[in-house]
Every structure is written in structure tokens, then in C-alpha cells.
Amino acid sequence: MSNRRKEWREFVVVVGRTEAGSVRLKFVPKPPQRAFDGNYRQLAIAIYKVAIACEQLCHDVDLNFVISPETFNNRLDIEASGRVSDALAQEFVEKAMLRAGLENVVIE
């Protein structure tokens, strides 16, 4: 197993909502860690990989989502023109993580 995969397992992705109701992925350190301990570049790479996968999925299935990575806030927002159900959001996130090669990352 490569070091990169090992470092990516140092965080979990928490699926939530923004104040406006958009889907938000928050990348947080796995307990008992409280910080990312200098792995911000690896975290940014992971966030951008997921953002790319989201963009590709939107293109493939003709979804009109806006993908907004914010590496400085450890998050990725997925904004839709209308309300997206929790089930659709979870399925979309799982497919994006798989496409990004981050299938070993825990999604909560």
C-alpha cells in the first residue's frame, strides 16, 4: 500500500448541509487526531480529486451542480439549483469518492 493511501485514511468525510441547504463535504481528522499534522498538501490533493470526480459525474449524468472546493476550510460544497435528497447526496458522494480513488476513506 502506498504512503499516499495511508495518509488519505487519516481523515473522514462528513456529509452535511450548508446554511442554504447545499451538500457540504467536510474533511476532518480521524480520532484521536485533532489536526492534520502537516498533511495539508495531501488533504488538498484529496479534496481536488473529489472535486474533479464530482465535475465528471455531473457531466456524465447531466446534473447542474456547482462544485466549490475550499481547501483552506477543509471542505467541498456541492450546490444544486434545487433541493437534493439525502439519499441522492449520499449516492453522489459515494460515487465521487470511488471515482477519485478514495474508496477507503470513511464517509459519515
Side-chain angles (χ1 to χ4, degrees):
M1 181 173 285
S2 73
N3 287 338
R4 203 172 305 158
R5 290 250 185 223
K6 193 175 191 182
E7 289 169 355
W8 287 341
R9 288 190 312 203
E10 292 180 2
F11 61 85
V12 296
V13 176
V14 178
V15 180
R17 299 280 181 171
T18 66
E19 296 79 20
S22 297
V23 176
R24 170 168 287 160
L25 306 183
K26 185 74 177 171
F27 294 72
V28 297
K30 261 189 184 175
Q33 289 178 274
R34 298 190 192 280
F36 286 107
D37 298 329
N39 290 324
Y40 288 104
R41 287 211 191 272
Q42 290 301 320
L43 178 65
I45 289 168
I47 291 171
Y48 285 127
K49 278 182 169 270
V50 175
I52 290 166
C54 288
E55 292 286 3
Q56 291 169 335
L57 277 173
C58 287
H59 180 266
D60 291 351
V61 295
D62 199 29
L63 289 172
N64 192 19
F65 289 172
V66 175
I67 310 302
S68 305
E70 292 186 13
T71 58
F72 55 91
N73 284 324
N74 305 336
R75 69 184 189 205
L76 172 68
D77 291 345
I78 303 169
E79 301 172 45
S81 55
R83 180 86 172 137
V84 175
S85 72
D86 290 343
L88 178 61
Q90 187 73 21
E91 180 183 353
F92 184 83
V93 168
E94 288 171 0
K95 286 181 179 179
M97 298 294 283
L98 183 63
R99 186 176 276 208
L102 299 174
E103 63 274 357
N104 295 330
V105 174
V106 175
I107 303 171
E108 297 181 345

